Amino acid sequence: MVRSIHCSHGGRPPQILSLSLSSKTLTFPLSLPSSLTTSFPCLSLKLRPRKSRALAGTSKSNNSLKTVQCSSSDSNPRNVDESNYMPQPFSVKIPVGDRHILVETGLIGRQASGAVTVTDGETIIYTSVCLADVPSEPSDFFPLFVNYQERFSAAGRTSGGFFKREGRARDHELLICRLIDRPLRPTMLKGFYHETQILSWVLSYDGLHSPDALAITAAGIAVALSEVPNSKAVTGVRVGLISDQYIVNPTTKQMEESELDLVLAGTEDAILMIEGYCNFLSEDKLLKAVEIGQEAVRAMCKEVEALVKECGNPKMLEAIKLPPPELYKNVEEIAGNELVKVLQINRKIPRIKALSALEESVLTVLAEKGLLVKEGTSVVSEVIPEIDEDEDEDEVVIVDGEVDEGDFHIKPVSRKPVTLLFSEVDVKLVFKEVTSKFLRRRIVEGGKRSDGRTPSELRSIHSRCRLLPRAHGSALFTRGETQSLAVVTLGDRQMAQRLDNLIDVDELKHFYLQYSFPPSCVGEVGRIGAPSRREIGHGMLAERALEPILPSDEDFPYTIRVESTITESNGSSSMASVCGGCLALLDAGVPVKCPVAGVAMGMVFDTKEFGGDGTPLILSDISGSEDASGDMDFKVAGTEDGITAFQMDIKVGGITIPVMKQALLQAKEGRTHILAEMLKCTPPPSKKLSKYAPLIHVMKVKPEKVNIIIGSGGKKVKSIIEESGVEAIDMQDDGVVKITAKDMTSLEKSKAIITNLTMVPTVGDVYRNCEIKSIAPYGVFVEIAPGREGLCHISELSSSWLPNAEDIFKVGDRVDVKLIEINEKGHLRLSRRALLPDPGPDKSSAKPKSSSPSKEYSVAQNASPEKGTKEEENKEEASSRASQPAKVSTPEKFIRKLVAAKDGVNVNKEKQTKSGGKTITSAMAKDEATLVNGEAKVG
């Protein structure tokens, strides 16, 4: 008779079927053999649903025993009635700030381990949690994968790409993935190695309620409802500050006026993660915002815990696998004394090599003692099942209908594992934990860190600028063994970063920082490819820290790109990017409001374990080993007076407000010290525009004149660029025109063309040395400015009567004209005769002058030709006047502007709005139309 059958199920303890027949017990595997089902066609089983993936997301009422009928005619011995497993939809409203969010489960994603939809206004997030059946290899990193995607259909549009579907994750989606991952990871229990995947989608977006903080809450609830063993439920909120009033989960319109953007996540008891940026906010105001956010999170977590009791799945606690306790004792005995010496090595690379050699030594000693299992084999365990043994009963016959359903159920076999060997993976995990323990003990007991510093002491700082001669700005910032090479590039609007958002708006970023972390910076060999999530996150943190100190677009109309390449790393490279980026901006001549710096803070939370009084110990300017072995990574950037950006991650159960206050005050002292060291930069920043940087001039025209500059199909603006030699001309709908050039000559030429093209002529204006573009029977067309022509009627060409304009003028001749009329269509009527001297009575023409002021575009009436008595003299006079050089009138204001622009510091400091009532002409080309009386106006 079969006594027991062991079966493996997803790496968890095997389950068997126990059959009770009067005084005897039979055990069968969960998947019954066909022969058994044939023998017992009416066998009735009761199954516990949790151990099946199909039951994920069931409510508490569905966790009771389910009845399954087995039939011999069915190929599946467990012909389960799936309708019994479907969970009932359940929803609850949770208060958040001044409104409620709706949480629903059991309606969508019923086969996932946990799935919820969370609604705020008309913004809906759907999040699912699934885990692998088979555990992965043990490691010191929990296998958690988070993917967040904003569906364009959520806002009623499609992707702008060729395939019209969402592609790889965009940068801001990756940042939200990090916001979800970072607070959840510390709540995961050690020893659980089943790969866990969190998928989050924005299904609906109303443009008012941001999805990022909502996605954190949705993921936290989904994990709490799932089988993943975690310690506490996690939720997240956003906090804004408007007119000294703190607002929880403000709308996007409210955030436009907020001076703080804080995203906070935590549990009912403590804070796990904060991230955001602000406008030079004080430590007290930031702490107040954190406190208000924590109160909101606490209220939400209480509601989530009640929801989990109602609808949550049992946690897979049986899948947790921890190293044997006796292994810790063995490792400490073998490596304890040597660890104390190794952790005193100051330099990072020698210390890492010594620790690696010591780890190999521990493995060798355990192998010599026969306690280490060989690589590639599993750990040997002895399983002793508890079975009712009866030698007298070899066989039991079950009669149809004699089985009591209450006696036939599934129960796990009691096992007593006895570990005979330690696996290599467990040894490495324990060695790392023991190393962290010794490092923390050295800091708490001895008051010294690995590099010999005190808890509040910072590493040495060195910086230099003007490192790269062809770059617009560059700086090399070194703090201890962390080094950042920052490079600034200035450009026009074409260099701006275009963002593709849910809302159908073209958003351009005129300032962005890009961070790269090559493997060489830590002395390793690795693959170079697209930026990782870590690189994108660190770059955004540094970008937010620098953004508040930048000038406005009106004062400095450049697109600014900062590249931070980490050339050496031993902790806090993102804060080194802040310091190096600030120096590079100064070196590029960007007129920043003030310098900023950043510092990373660490913590040893439980000091009582190492002989302390239990008060958390805050560490300033943490190194890589202190980040890995410590309990906190708190990055704070700003000035001596205020904070501009911050980011905190916790590796323990969370911290409280008093601990955060102590960390912020200690960070302020660190920033003050770093700013003082940055002033010692050698060589110092140049603080002026590089000669290789482009020149940008901003001018203002009337919005309706923008189309005149562009021309049909962009032909006019292209011709201006080609004629003047500038790099680009950018026009906005509000009439702002930005000209980008490499030199002042091309800049001034294009500026004069645009000014004359968009000017508003006034009756009475006089234009000298203007070119005749074409001749018609009724007059000539004269170009008074580039692209602006007017008609000088034949009756206005001469003081005497002319039968034909071609008798005196030809195309290309230059004449002086006066504007005498602008008709309803904007056509210009010019007069040359008005500028000629009045002839005496004896010089008057025998034929009266033809007068048709309102019909300058009509063909002249036929008249008998009659030459004036002084026709030849007038012709010679006109020819003489046309050949004389034009006298250029340059306004005094324009001269001052040229001088200011040529020094190269701030070419657009003088705005076109200051000269908006004058026509600015080029003093470099003699053939340009010149304004005499200065009455023409820029449109």
Side-chain angles (χ1 to χ4, degrees), residues 471-637:
H472 299 161
S474 61
L476 183 67
F477 179 84
T478 307
R479 185 187 59 240
E481 293 180 294
T482 298
Q483 190 177 76
S484 168
L485 175 61
V487 180
V488 170
T489 305
L490 304 177
D492 58 0
R493 185 174 181 269
Q494 301 298 323
M495 203 181 82
Q497 191 178 43
R498 189 178 299 274
L499 302 180
D500 197 6
N501 296 326
L502 277 177
I503 299 299
D504 192 10
V505 176
D506 260 350
E507 183 178 350
L508 296 177
K509 285 181 65 175
H510 294 280
F511 168 68
Y512 50 96
L513 188 147
Q514 295 171 333
Y515 166 103
S516 60
F517 192 90
S520 60
C521 70
V522 288
E524 296 178 354
V525 176
R527 179 179 176 272
I528 296 294
S532 64
R533 293 186 177 188
R534 178 183 177 277
E535 289 176 307
I536 292 173
H538 280 39
M540 180 55 67
L541 176 61
E543 178 183 310
R544 289 172 172 173
L546 293 172
E547 193 167 11
I549 69 171
L550 297 177
S552 64
D553 186 60
E554 295 178 355
D555 296 330
F556 196 73
Y558 285 90
T559 295
I560 305 172
R561 180 197 184 204
V562 181
E563 300 169 84
S564 176
T565 303
I566 306 304
T567 53
E568 187 179 358
S569 178
N570 186 16
S572 190
S573 57
S574 62
M575 295 297 97
S577 299
V578 174
C579 302
C582 179
L583 291 173
L585 288 171
L586 290 170
D587 191 52
V590 180
V592 300
K593 298 174 183 177
C594 56
V596 294
V599 64
M601 312 299 294
M603 178 181 66
V604 178
F605 187 72
D606 187 8
T607 57
K608 195 172 183 179
E609 180 184 356
F610 308 109
D613 58 0
T615 304
L617 179 62
I618 305 298
L619 307 176
S620 296
D621 185 21
I622 57 175
S623 62
S625 60
E626 292 164 346
D627 184 7
S629 302
D631 300 321
M632 179 181 74
D633 183 10
F634 191 7
K635 303 179 179 72
V636 187

Side-chain angles (χ1 to χ4, degrees), residues 699 720-721 723-726 728-729 739-741 744-756 922:
M699 57 192 303
I720 297 174
I721 293 174
E723 180 182 350
S724 61
V726 297
I729 298 177
I739 307 171
T740 305
M744 286 298 298
T745 302
S746 58
L747 180 66
E748 294 298 336
K749 188 172 183 180
S750 65
K751 187 168 61 175
I753 295 174
I754 293 174
T755 300
N756 292 325
S922 173

Side-chain angles (χ1 to χ4, degrees), residues 635-936:
K635 303 179 179 72
V636 187
T639 65
E640 299 178 11
D641 302 321
I643 298 171
T644 58
F646 49 88
Q647 183 184 95
M648 183 189 72
D649 294 317
I650 297 297
K651 300 178 183 178
V652 292
I655 64 171
T656 58
I657 298 294
V659 175
M660 185 177 294
K661 181 177 182 180
Q662 181 185 353
L664 283 173
L665 294 177
Q666 196 164 321
K668 183 178 181 179
E669 297 176 359
R671 291 199 312 273
T672 303
H673 173 76
I674 295 174
L675 287 169
E677 292 297 318
M678 288 169 60
L679 293 176
K680 302 176 184 178
C681 179
T682 305
S686 64
K687 297 185 179 180
K688 64 180 182 180
L689 283 176
S690 167
K691 62 181 180 179
Y692 302 111
L695 302 176
I696 295 182
H697 178 77
V698 180
M699 57 192 303
K700 178 76 173 178
V701 301
K702 286 188 176 181
E704 58 267 22
K705 300 291 184 180
V706 172
N707 289 333
I708 298 177
I709 304 174
I710 297 175
S712 177
K715 291 181 180 179
K716 190 61 184 177
V717 69
K718 291 178 182 177
S719 66
I720 297 174
I721 293 174
E722 184 178 353
E723 180 182 350
S724 61
V726 297
E727 291 186 335
I729 298 177
D730 177 53
M731 288 150 290
Q732 301 176 13
D733 293 338
D734 59 355
V736 174
V737 179
K738 295 182 180 180
I739 307 171
T740 305
K742 290 184 177 181
D743 54 78
M744 286 298 298
T745 302
S746 58
L747 180 66
E748 294 298 336
K749 188 172 183 180
S750 65
K751 187 168 61 175
I753 295 174
I754 293 174
T755 300
N756 292 325
L757 191 63
T758 59
M759 70 180 182
V760 178
T762 305
V763 174
D765 289 346
V766 176
Y767 302 92
R768 301 287 186 183
N769 200 31
C770 300
E771 182 181 358
I772 296 177
K773 287 294 187 179
S774 61
I775 300 178
Y778 49 84
V780 298
F781 287 92
V782 182
E783 185 181 50
I784 61 173
R788 297 298 302 274
E789 296 182 7
L791 173 65
C792 186
H793 195 268
I794 194 171
S795 63
E796 297 293 337
L797 280 174
S798 176
S799 56
S800 59
W801 180 80
L802 288 179
N804 197 335
E806 292 182 350
D807 293 342
I808 299 180
F809 303 102
K810 62 181 182 294
V811 175
D813 287 348
R814 294 188 174 271
V815 294
D816 298 339
V817 292
K818 181 178 181 179
L819 180 62
I820 59 176
E821 183 183 352
I822 303 176
N823 69 4
E824 295 178 354
K825 295 183 179 181
H827 296 155
L828 308 181
R829 184 168 181 262
L830 307 173
S831 174
R832 175 177 175 271
R833 186 184 66 177
L835 300 180
L836 298 177
D838 292 332
D842 55 335
K843 297 181 180 180
S844 60
S845 173
K847 184 78 175 177
K849 293 183 254 184
S850 174
S851 171
S852 55
S854 61
K855 299 180 179 180
E856 59 268 27
Y857 286 101
S858 63
V859 179
Q861 299 293 329
N862 292 330
S864 58
E866 182 175 343
K867 297 184 180 180
T869 57
K870 296 291 184 179
E871 181 178 343
E872 294 297 327
E873 295 181 8
N874 292 337
K875 186 174 181 180
E876 293 177 2
E877 180 183 355
S879 176
S880 175
R881 187 182 295 110
S883 62
Q884 293 177 357
K887 184 177 181 182
V888 178
S889 174
T890 305
E892 181 182 355
K893 188 180 295 184
F894 176 59
I895 296 176
R896 287 200 302 269
K897 185 169 183 179
L898 275 178
V899 174
K902 287 183 179 179
D903 60 14
V905 177
N906 194 349
V907 299
N908 67 318
K909 203 166 186 179
E910 290 285 346
K911 289 293 179 180
Q912 183 65 23
T913 53
K914 294 184 179 180
S915 57
K918 304 287 184 180
T919 297
I920 299 177
T921 58
S922 173
M924 301 175 184
K926 292 184 180 181
D927 59 347
E928 294 286 349
T930 305
L931 178 65
V932 174
N933 59 5
E935 293 179 0

Side-chain angles (χ1 to χ4, degrees), residues 307-329:
L307 175 65
V308 172
K309 290 180 181 179
E310 181 68 24
C311 305
N313 286 314
K315 300 296 183 181
M316 292 176 56
L317 298 175
E318 75 278 3
I320 294 178
K321 180 184 177 183
L322 295 172
E326 57 269 21
L327 181 56
Y328 290 85
K329 183 179 179 182

Side-chain angles (χ1 to χ4, degrees), residues 129-132 134-146 180-198 223 226-231 315-316 319-322 429 432:
V129 176
C130 291
L131 57 155
V134 180
S136 56
E137 287 296 323
S139 67
D140 60 344
F141 193 77
F142 178 68
L144 175 64
F145 306 95
V146 179
I180 296 172
D181 181 286
R182 285 158 44 204
L184 285 174
R185 193 171 292 277
T187 66
M188 302 299 179
L189 299 183
K190 289 184 177 181
F192 185 74
Y193 300 116
H194 290 258
E195 288 187 358
T196 303
Q197 185 180 49
I198 299 176
V223 170
S226 72
E227 306 152 293
V228 178
N230 66 321
S231 57
K315 300 296 183 181
M316 292 176 56
I320 294 178
K321 180 184 177 183
L322 295 172
L429 290 175
K432 182 176 180 179

